[in-house]
């Protein structure tokens, strides 16, 4: 195993943030999903994961820096047991109950039952105290004892992404394309009732686990693309509808655009500018299966050029039938 710092391309004094950044960059570059036909890239990905498992973990990094474990995460044993809480079984003439113990590496000439003896000696010392003398290194005793618990695999980190969605996509139930920091590009369904700023969680689409555990999730924030006509107000949509002066005075049937196609709206006679008419069910889809409404605000628009006949009529109306359009709060 290569030095994990060298694998990640960082120095020994690198911060946790720099190490994490380096891991993400390399994991993205060598991810199996992006290099399905490149065995070397997959080997690199595995090496990067193993390196991050060491220096990405505060405790393991400290152990590695102190020389207590190697680049493979396994403990280093030098000269027997002197490193364990200052206890050297070779210097002990006898253990509890008058039993004599002899150091054995488990190799040729090892004493029969040496694992049991070592468990007796170590049961209560340092990092090997565990239950039944099993260590936490790699999920079992470094001396090969059986019955150790399997290590709990860590979960990969979540990733954050954004996706821009049009109102038409929302109403029509169309999928949206999102690019994830892991390098994946996906077509995702936007659930009914999703609003701008809402988040969609994609299970297992985040960073891979550094030790073979479950992958993290991708959390995708939804942004609505501004629409040239419609404004979103909760489940409702709002649109301004220009109408002519005669349509406002006499009333009319006017075509109004909706996200599902144009519909006919009746403008009542004598409608003021700013009046709001409601088209039920023409808004956004809701999580409950219904739809919001379309709120139509009337805007009276005069002709660009006022012809003499209209001007004369308005002067006559002002002189003979003038009325106040503003209340006393405006000082009239």
């Amino acid at each position: 195993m290569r030095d994990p710092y060298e694998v990640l391309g960082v120095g020994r004094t690198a911060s946790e943030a720099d190490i994490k950044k380096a891991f993400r960059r390399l994991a993205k570059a060598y991810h199996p999903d992006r290099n399905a036909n490149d065995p070397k890239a997959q080997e690199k990905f595995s090496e990067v994961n193993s390196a991050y498992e060491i220096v990405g973990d505060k405790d393991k990094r400290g152990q590695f820096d102190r020389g207590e474990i190697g680049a493979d995460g396994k403990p280093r044993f030098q000269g027997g047991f002197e490193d364990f809480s200052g206890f050297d079984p070779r210097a002990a003439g006898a253990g509890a109950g008058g039993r004599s113990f002899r150091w054995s590496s488990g190799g040729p000439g090892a004493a029969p039952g040496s694992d049991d003896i070592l468990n007796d000696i170590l049961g209560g010392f340092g990092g090997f105290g565990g239950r039944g003398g099993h260590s936490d290194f790699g999920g079992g005793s470094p001396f090969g004892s059986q019955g150790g618990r399997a290590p709990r695999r860590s979960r990969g980190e979540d990733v954050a992404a954004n996706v821009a969605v049009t109102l038409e996509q929302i109403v029509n139930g169309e999928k949206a394309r999102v690019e994830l920091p892991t390098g994946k590009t996906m077509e995702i369904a936007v659930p009914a009732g999703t609003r701008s700023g809402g988040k969609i969680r994609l299970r297992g689409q985040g960073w891979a686990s550094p030790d073979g555990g479950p992958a993290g999730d991708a959390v995708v924030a939804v942004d609505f693309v501004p629409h040239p006509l419609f404004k979103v107000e909760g489940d409702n949509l709002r649109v301004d509808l220009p109408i002519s002066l005669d349509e406002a005075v006499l009333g009319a049937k006017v075509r109004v655009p909706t996200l599902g196609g144009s519909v006919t709206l009746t403008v009542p006679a004598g409608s003021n500018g700013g009046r709001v008419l409601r088209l039920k069910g023409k808004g956004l889809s809701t999580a409950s299966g219904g739809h919001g409404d379309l709120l139509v605000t009337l805007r009276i628009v005069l002709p660009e050029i006022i012809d003499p006949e209209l001007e004369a009529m308005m002067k006559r109306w002002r002189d003979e039938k003038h009325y106040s359009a503003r209340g006393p709060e405006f000082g009239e």
Side-chain angles (χ1 to χ4, degrees):
M1 294 288 292
R2 286 201 297 153
D3 185 298
Y5 292 104
E6 179 183 343
V7 172
L8 295 177
V10 297
R12 288 182 172 270
T13 59
S15 65
E16 291 182 14
D18 288 339
I19 291 174
K20 183 178 293 186
K21 182 178 180 181
F23 168 69
R24 286 182 172 177
R25 175 177 56 80
L26 293 172
K28 179 178 179 180
Y30 296 118
H31 197 284
D33 289 342
R34 301 187 66 185
N35 303 275
N37 299 319
D38 186 353
K40 291 186 178 180
Q42 297 184 29
E43 291 176 6
K44 278 280 191 181
F45 181 76
S46 178
E47 185 181 38
V48 168
N49 276 338
S50 297
Y52 185 68
E53 182 182 0
I54 300 298
V55 298
D57 181 285
K58 184 177 180 181
D59 293 335
K60 288 185 179 180
R61 182 182 182 183
Q63 292 173 330
F64 177 79
D65 290 345
R66 293 190 297 270
E68 296 172 6
I69 61 174
D72 56 0
K74 295 181 180 179
R76 290 173 173 167
F77 303 106
Q78 299 176 352
F81 280 78
E82 287 86 345
D83 295 330
F84 297 98
S85 303
F87 182 78
D88 183 2
R90 296 174 301 177
R99 292 181 294 170
S100 295
F101 301 108
R102 180 164 60 90
W103 160 249
S104 170
S105 65
S114 59
D115 286 342
D116 294 335
I117 295 174
L118 291 173
N119 284 339
D120 287 340
I121 295 174
L122 296 174
F125 286 90
F128 294 89
R131 295 177 177 83
H134 298 298
S135 82
D136 291 331
F137 293 102
S141 169
F143 306 102
S145 297
Q146 300 299 315
R149 294 182 299 173
R152 183 175 181 179
R153 303 297 186 183
S154 60
R155 180 177 175 276
E157 292 189 39
D158 291 346
V159 299
N162 291 76
V163 62
V165 181
T166 66
L167 296 183
E168 287 81 2
Q169 286 176 300
I170 293 291
V171 169
N172 297 327
E174 299 175 4
K175 291 187 176 182
R177 182 182 295 270
V178 58
E179 294 184 0
L180 302 179
T182 58
K184 287 185 179 179
T185 298
M186 303 180 63
E187 296 280 344
I188 65 170
V190 181
T194 302
R195 298 293 174 260
S196 190
K199 292 180 171 58
I200 301 172
R201 182 174 290 271
L202 304 177
R203 300 289 181 185
Q205 298 300 328
W207 291 112
S209 167
D211 56 9
D217 299 337
V219 181
V220 182
V222 176
D223 296 320
F224 281 179
V225 176
H227 198 279
L229 290 178
F230 303 106
K231 294 181 180 179
V232 178
E233 294 183 357
D235 295 336
N236 298 329
L237 296 174
R238 185 178 290 274
V239 64
D240 287 344
L241 177 64
I243 59 173
S244 62
L245 180 60
D246 59 286
E247 289 172 333
V249 173
L250 304 175
K253 291 187 180 295
V254 182
R255 297 293 290 175
V256 179
T258 74
L259 289 175
S262 297
V263 298
T264 299
L265 173 69
T266 298
V267 177
S271 292
N272 289 312
R275 182 175 182 175
V276 178
L277 304 177
R278 184 183 297 267
L279 289 173
K280 290 188 175 296
K282 297 300 182 182
L284 296 177
S285 56
T286 65
S288 62
H291 287 79
D293 301 332
L294 177 61
L295 307 178
V296 183
T297 303
L298 303 180
R299 302 297 184 193
I300 299 175
V301 179
L302 295 176
E304 294 184 4
I305 300 177
I306 305 296
D307 62 28
E309 184 179 354
L310 177 60
E311 184 177 2
M313 183 181 68
M314 289 296 101
K315 287 181 178 180
R316 187 169 61 254
W317 181 273
R318 181 190 60 192
D319 296 338
E320 298 176 3
K321 298 183 179 181
H322 176 72
Y323 68 97
S324 176
R326 295 167 292 278
E329 64 272 18
F330 290 93
E332 294 187 3

